[in-house]
Amino acid sequence: MATTVTRIEKLVGKRLRRKEDPRLITGTATYVEDIKRPGMQHAVIVRSPHGAANIKGIDTTKAAALPGVSAIFTGKDITHVGSVVCGADLPGLRKPVHHILAQDRVYFVGHPVAVVVASDRYIAADAADLVEVDYDVTQAVTDPEKALAPGAPAVHPEWPDNTAFLYHQTGGDIDKAFADADVIIKQRITSQRLVPNAMETRGVVAEWLQADRALTLFTSTQIPHLARTILAGQLGIDENRFRLIAPEVGGGFGSKLNVYAEEALMGFITMKINKPVKWIESRRENFQVTIQGRGHVDYFELAAKRDGTMLGLRLKLIQDLGAYHQLLTPAIPTLSVLMMPGLYNFRNIDADVVGVFTNCVPTDAYRGAGRPEATHGIERMVDLLAAELNMDPAAIRFKNFVQPDQFPFPTATGLNYDSGDYGATLQKAMDMIGYDDLRKQQAAARAAGRLMGIGISTYGELCAFGPSPATPAGGWESATVRIEPTGKVTVHTGTSPHGQGQETSFAQIAADELGVPMDDIIVLHGDTAIIPYGIGTFGSRNTAVGGPALYYALQDIKEKVKKFGKMLLDAEEVTFENGVCRDPKTGKEITIQTIAGAAYRAMKLPPDTDPGLVATKFWEPSNFAFPFGAHIIVSEVDRDTGEIAIKRYVAVDDIGNQLNPLLVDGQLHGGAAQGLGQALWEQAVYDDNGQLITGEFMDYCMPRARMMPWIESSHTVTPSPVNPLGVKGVGEAGTIGSTPAMVNSVIDALSTLGVRHIDMPLTNEKIWNLVNGAKA
Amino acid sequence: MTKQIISVTINGARQTHEVEPRLLLIHYLRETLGLTGAHIGCETSLCGACTVELNGKAIKSCSMFAVQANGAEILTIEGLASADGKLHPMQEAFWNEHALQCGFCTPGMIMVSKQLVERNPHPTDVEIREGLDGNLCRCTGYQHIVNAVRAAAKAGA
Ligand code: FES
Ligand code: FES
């Protein structure tokens, strides 16, 4: 039985290319739109062209007469189907009932009114055009501040003040902070609505098997299990007869952390017509009806001493909710409140949040979900304070940072920051970019009349959701490890990765723990018939919550492997390393592969041990994890065109330990692109009638390759004590850190012209007007 | 609608089908032929997810009718690797450089990158970024895609 133990190199921490890529680079992966079922029908949805209207009648006769049309449904057909679910709750929250097809009113452009089902998507689209809806258009309101004004049109007639909720949080002694202040800085800061725009739009294929009362539903989602529970409730079917599959998912960024009307609608249709049905969202629909992000108007007041010490922060937060609540809509601004203090050592806060209904599509979680808004706010306020006090923006940050010896650090908002060295990331970023020298260059540039800016953002975020009491649906995650009789390993994760790379990074963890080659491990996810219940992928939680669940499942299975090893080696004690059990006394060894065979053959079993090698672990963190970092951007503004050139971008991020730095870089770059998108280019614009003016890529400016700067990325490593891997989460960090660095940079560039603040996006037009207005 | 017969060579194999004149090329590839590698991200020629090669030129197959491709030679992502499964150097480079996350933009990105390097074997980073201008990626921030194209060019893709 003796084998030679070859020391296997540890894989965690290595830059490994991904296991999931071969199917993706050869065009052979299966996304929802690639799925075909026998007899499958195609659905096209008739949507409201108006922001607010009463439906006086719907005439489907012409549409129904078109050959190939198999069914048409309108609001009256679906009254027994549960309405769209909001999983968040706040005291006094007003929850409008959002049927999966409109009843007698529509309240945003894109509101589904009818659905046409046909044998072919072209026919379904033709027929949808023939559905005649008679609307009585009413006054819409799309600006949240206007919606709050007395006499504004009511989005929901039963709530004329358009207020969905009021939420107040306070910590410390805010009145004293302001009484003690030498300076008080006030600023209105907006975070505009953004369109998440995953490159794959949403889509559903639903198939009902009447004989088994069983529904199979493929949907492009980040939360397969939660979606199944919710949809089963809406459709009134048994969860265990409902298989929900998230196949290959082409990006989500929060927009698929949701359960949408169309998912229940397709379930309803297949049950009605007894044939499979497919619906694929068009890009225009994706703009109009998939959730949008941000949508804040924030009024900040910062109290400070003349030496730059920050004392307290007041916030009035107006959250544009849209016309109704999607899954987490009202909860998102409460995350902003939690992160209000940023990385700073003051303990007095006061936040008033008002959630406002508008005739727009709902806002909900979009990459960062509440934390980018908070970070942008506090990072702008710090810069405003520095400007007011004539201090360097780096110096004022160093002065106010929570110090390394203060962790775990309880914040005024009730969080407990896990670990960090905030000064170290900023110092490293400053060293990388040559900060002192840059300030000299800037002085020279200014003397020459050039508009050069240096912008800093030092961000923190709460992620790795999270302890269950702090989440709407459980904050744990599950993992199963199955060692097959040959010793090959199958891992199940309850997370639902869709680009984040856990098929690779989780295989790295398993390879190290079990001592088997990467190629012997596969990681499965996203199928409720195979995977034990899981929470899903959002809030930078795959690695930081799903990873530890896997780690602990691996520990359990290692124990069992050792029991078999001990029995098979007839040893008193064994070690297990590099996939080999060893009796230290005799030097005899047995491999995990041989043990696996014996565990299933079960000729003999260790005492109190069952056959087989399977372990499942549900693991819940005791706290969030708190990544942080410092981003510095050097920019220059062209006086003649208003164009902003990004000269350098340095990012130092601390996300704790890194499983695979190649994947970490990818997350940070992608995050930064979305953050710069918000700072410079992107904005969802509704006009006063409720029309979405930026409803296509033609009108909504997405970051493209030539617009993105080269990102010089580095790290510090402060392991999180919250989980055994010491990881913090990286999915949202780049988005949160980049936006204020960019905006601060441009405002720094224009500060010589007296510019104090600019709301995003910093379009050329806006900048040109500022520069040239300032000249005049 | 009267159907028309078209004949196309796709990834080396001759195909003949009767199609509606209004059928988009991308739908012909995906629905009629089952070649689902090229994706639909917008249907308005703005994202490049549907990029394939038509007579040697990268085109957006959502912005062309199948009947317009009659007689053409088309190469899709599925035809890029050699018959024995050996990846095209551009595929290999995308894999090595982690130039994809969700992978939805990737078939289009690889097709356009292949073309880019064929036209300009030694592109600068700026030229690479300009060459990718018709293709959107929401996941990667493009930096690793630029790395991949540069690496493939260096390797003589
Ligand atoms: S689908 Fe053809 S360019 Fe977007
Ligand atoms: S990898 Fe997801 S869109 Fe490019």
Side-chain angles (χ1 to χ4, degrees):
Chain A
M1 263 185 212
T3 51
T4 337
V5 178
T6 33
R7 180 140 282 292
I8 298 169
E9 211 186 355
K10 290 287 174 214
L11 298 178
V12 165
K14 286 230 139 48
R15 299 178 77 87
L16 298 183
R17 65 180 191 172
R18 298 195 310 177
K19 287 167 73 74
E20 41 273 79
D21 286 359
R23 63 177 187 264
L24 299 168
I25 54 177
T26 53
T28 50
T30 304
Y31 299 84
V32 172
E33 193 173 3
D34 306 337
I35 293 166
K36 270 191 186 171
R37 303 295 303 152
M40 188 171 80
Q41 303 291 298
H42 298 263
V44 168
I45 294 168
V46 179
R47 299 184 179 279
S48 167
H50 304 295
N54 295 313
I55 299 175
K56 295 202 296 187
I58 304 177
D59 186 351
T60 59
T61 6
K62 279 187 209 153
L66 202 68
V69 171
S70 47
I72 300 177
F73 302 103
T74 63
K76 66 180 182 339
D77 301 310
I78 54 81
T79 45
H80 64 288
V81 179
S83 52
V84 172
V85 168
C86 170
D89 218 352
L90 292 170
L93 178 66
R94 290 165 168 175
K95 287 191 181 184
V97 176
H98 182 69
H99 289 286
I100 62 170
L101 288 174
Q103 299 296 303
D104 48 359
R105 269 177 71 80
V106 289
Y107 34 79
F108 66 102
V109 163
H111 198 147
V113 173
V115 59
V116 177
V117 188
S119 54
D120 167 292
R121 68 197 294 172
Y122 283 55
I123 297 174
D126 287 345
D129 283 345
L130 295 174
V131 173
E132 287 169 11
V133 187
D134 190 4
Y135 293 104
D136 175 18
V137 179
T138 60
Q139 189 78 47
V141 63
T142 56
D143 177 308
E145 289 190 290
K146 285 186 189 159
L148 287 176
V155 176
H156 301 281
E158 60 272 42
W159 301 311
D161 60 3
N162 288 321
T163 300
F165 67 88
L166 298 172
Y167 174 82
H168 179 246
Q169 188 174 343
T170 193
D173 189 342
I174 195 68
D175 291 333
K176 181 167 188 311
F178 275 78
D180 290 348
D182 300 326
V183 272
I184 293 171
I185 309 286
K186 298 184 184 185
Q187 184 62 48
R188 176 184 186 270
I189 298 175
T190 60
S191 278
Q192 77 274 29
R193 272 181 176 256
L194 301 176
V195 182
N197 268 323
M199 289 315 298
E200 182 209 26
T201 57
R202 290 183 297 120
V204 183
V205 172
E207 182 168 14
W208 174 246
L209 182 54
Q210 174 62 46
D212 284 349
R213 291 183 288 128
L215 178 65
T216 303
L217 190 130
F218 299 86
T219 181
S220 187
T221 185
Q222 302 173 219
I223 47 167
H225 283 97
L226 296 178
R228 183 185 62 160
T229 303
I230 290 169
L231 290 167
Q234 282 180 273
L235 294 168
I237 58 175
D238 296 338
E239 205 173 2
N240 58 345
R241 292 170 189 269
F242 183 176
R243 178 180 190 183
L244 190 143
I245 300 171
E248 207 74 63
V249 171
F253 318 111
S255 71
K256 297 171 183 173
L257 157 56
N258 230 308
V259 182
Y260 287 95
E262 293 87 354
E263 291 169 310
L265 187 57
M266 293 309 124
F268 160 80
I269 292 171
T270 184
M271 290 167 70
K272 240 356 210 202
I273 66 173
N274 245 314
K275 283 182 186 167
V277 62
K278 177 191 262 188
W279 169 76
I280 299 297
E281 186 184 51
S282 70
R283 179 57 60 187
R284 177 164 283 269
E285 286 179 299
N286 184 260
F287 270 94
Q288 289 184 346
V289 305
T290 288
I291 63 97
Q292 299 180 353
R294 322 288 188 249
H296 273 217
V297 180
D298 296 332
Y299 290 85
F300 282 99
E301 291 183 30
L302 175 63
K305 298 301 264 185
R306 188 143 297 282
D307 69 357
T309 306
M310 292 156 73
L311 299 176
L313 189 64
R314 272 201 188 113
L315 167 64
K316 180 169 183 224
L317 190 169
I318 300 168
Q319 173 72 52
D320 174 359
L321 300 166
Y324 67 101
H325 307 312
Q326 272 287 352
L327 191 59
L328 300 171
T329 302
I332 305 302
T334 65
L335 294 174
S336 304
V337 171
L338 290 177
M339 278 317 293
M340 266 173 73
L343 303 182
Y344 308 111
N345 200 3
F346 63 86
R347 305 204 194 212
N348 307 299
I349 65 110
D350 187 79
D352 265 315
V353 183
V354 50
V356 186
F357 289 124
T358 58
N359 290 108
C360 306
V361 74
T363 51
D364 203 322
Y366 168 56
R367 206 164 191 175
R371 289 96 81 210
E373 297 90 320
T375 304
H376 185 62
I378 182 75
E379 288 305 290
R380 284 268 51 246
M381 292 306 290
V382 175
D383 261 33
L384 284 166
L385 178 63
E388 174 75 21
L389 298 176
N390 231 328
M391 283 179 76
D392 183 279
I396 200 160
R397 284 174 168 84
F398 281 120
K399 184 169 187 64
N400 286 285
F401 279 148
V402 173
Q403 295 302 309
D405 59 6
Q406 287 177 279
F407 294 95
F409 178 76
T411 72
T413 53
L415 296 173
N416 211 10
Y417 290 174
D418 59 344
S419 62
D421 187 346
Y422 303 150
T425 50
L426 178 54
Q427 191 57 53
K428 188 163 180 180
M430 290 168 71
D431 292 347
M432 277 172 70
I433 210 159
Y435 186 78
D436 296 338
D437 195 48
L438 266 179
R439 285 287 177 204
K440 283 179 205 145
Q441 287 175 34
Q442 184 186 39
R446 281 179 172 166
R450 283 164 45 212
L451 301 171
M452 173 184 169
I454 304 165
I456 296 175
S457 117
T458 48
Y459 74 91
E461 66 145 328
L462 89 154
C463 72
F465 289 75
S468 291
T471 59
W476 44 267
E477 199 43 85
S478 74
T480 295
V481 182
R482 211 167 72 199
I483 304 182
E484 314 288 0
T486 53
K488 306 283 180 193
V489 178
T490 306
V491 170
H492 295 166
T493 173
T495 66
S496 197
H498 45 281
Q500 297 85 354
Q502 274 70 35
E503 289 178 38
T504 304
S505 59
F506 281 9
Q508 289 174 261
I509 298 176
D512 279 1
E513 293 300 317
L514 299 179
V516 301
M518 277 284 273
D519 203 40
D520 282 1
I521 303 166
I522 63 161
V523 179
L524 302 178
H525 52 81
D527 182 344
T528 60
I530 299 176
I531 311 293
Y533 207 97
I535 301 298
T537 292
F538 53 89
S540 307
R541 68 190 304 282
N542 276 8
T543 304
V545 189
L550 172 59
Y551 175 83
Y552 285 118
L554 287 162
Q555 303 315 309
D556 286 355
I557 211 157
K558 273 161 65 175
E559 278 314 304
K560 194 163 180 186
V561 165
K562 278 166 81 174
K563 281 187 188 167
F564 273 98
K566 219 163 94 174
M567 176 193 78
L568 293 165
L569 291 173
D570 202 12
E572 273 164 28
E573 264 322 311
V574 287
T575 59
F576 179 69
E577 230 183 311
N578 298 324
V580 174
C581 268
R582 184 169 200 272
D583 180 347
K585 271 199 189 143
T586 62
K588 273 196 197 156
E589 295 173 351
I590 184 168
T591 66
I592 188 168
Q593 289 81 9
T594 311
I595 291 172
Y600 286 92
R601 182 66 187 84
M603 290 297 283
K604 207 177 146 202
L605 293 173
D608 303 323
T609 305
D610 302 327
L613 283 176
V614 181
T616 296
K617 194 82 194 175
F618 286 65
W619 184 78
E620 173 172 341
S622 57
N623 188 5
F624 300 105
F626 297 86
F628 57 93
H631 290 206
I632 305 182
I633 295 177
V634 183
S635 67
E636 187 158 343
V637 171
D638 185 320
R639 284 176 181 271
D640 297 328
T641 63
E643 280 171 298
I644 296 162
I646 302 175
K647 297 294 187 187
R648 280 188 76 189
Y649 185 156
V650 163
V652 178
D653 298 282
D654 193 322
I655 57 153
N657 292 335
Q658 302 185 9
L659 301 185
N660 184 334
L662 185 62
L663 307 191
V664 167
D665 288 350
Q667 286 297 313
L668 289 167
H669 297 158
Q674 291 181 358
L676 293 185
Q678 169 160 29
L680 299 178
W681 308 298
E682 297 181 35
Q683 181 170 28
V685 182
Y686 281 90
D687 72 8
D688 287 342
N689 298 320
Q691 288 303 325
L692 178 62
I693 309 194
T694 52
E696 285 283 359
F697 288 142
M698 191 67 98
D699 311 306
Y700 183 94
C701 184
M702 293 273 283
R704 290 180 185 265
R706 76 182 144 77
M707 296 148 75
M708 282 297 297
W710 184 260
I711 298 169
E712 304 166 54
S713 180
S714 188
H715 304 276
T716 60
V717 177
T718 311
S720 171
V722 175
N723 62 71
L725 302 173
V727 296
K728 285 184 177 238
V730 65
E732 295 154 301
T735 306
I736 295 171
S738 55
T739 309
M742 187 70 243
V743 173
N744 282 343
S745 182
V746 174
I747 291 172
D748 186 47
L750 302 184
S751 60
T752 49
L753 306 176
V755 173
R756 239 180 124 250
H757 179 75
I758 316 170
D759 274 327
M760 302 179 289
L762 310 183
T763 58
N764 297 348
E765 182 192 0
K766 214 181 265 179
I767 301 300
W768 188 90
N769 279 322
L770 274 170
V771 171
N772 291 277
K775 249 185 211 162
Chain B
M1 236 167 279
T2 4
K3 294 200 173 180
Q4 291 184 22
I5 293 180
I6 59 164
S7 239
V8 201
T9 305
I10 298 188
N11 300 334
R14 187 109 178 129
Q15 304 277 356
T16 303
H17 287 96
E18 215 183 26
V19 300
E20 267 191 57
R22 65 172 175 172
L23 184 71
L24 294 174
L25 179 57
I26 182 69
H27 288 145
Y28 174 65
L29 294 171
R30 293 180 49 83
E31 307 290 333
T32 312
L33 297 174
L35 292 170
T36 56
H39 295 140
I40 303 171
C42 68
E43 262 179 30
T44 51
S45 81
L46 292 163
C47 78
C50 61
T51 307
V52 299
E53 257 181 35
L54 183 112
N55 295 331
K57 275 191 184 161
I59 57 120
K60 291 175 172 172
S61 61
C62 71
S63 305
M64 189 171 170
F65 294 112
V67 290
Q68 292 176 291
N70 191 16
E73 283 206 25
I74 294 176
L75 178 69
T76 72
I77 188 75
E78 290 92 341
L80 206 53
S82 57
D84 61 356
K86 192 173 164 2
L87 295 174
H88 184 277
M90 192 57 75
Q91 292 172 308
E92 194 74 47
F94 267 64
W95 190 5
N96 289 336
E97 299 296 332
H98 185 35
L100 56 144
Q101 289 175 31
C102 78
F104 196 79
C105 72
T106 308
M109 280 286 180
I110 290 177
M111 295 308 286
V112 84
S113 300
K114 170 180 176 281
Q115 175 107 117
L116 194 165
V117 174
E118 279 166 5
R119 288 186 190 170
N120 177 2
H122 307 289
T124 63
D125 278 15
V126 171
E127 288 168 340
I128 294 172
R129 287 177 185 274
E130 280 169 0
L132 298 174
D133 204 42
N135 289 57
L136 286 174
C137 173
R138 193 53 150 171
C139 297
T140 63
Y142 304 100
Q143 190 149 321
H144 283 167
I145 298 178
V146 173
N147 287 350
V149 178
R150 194 193 312 109
K154 243 190 205 144

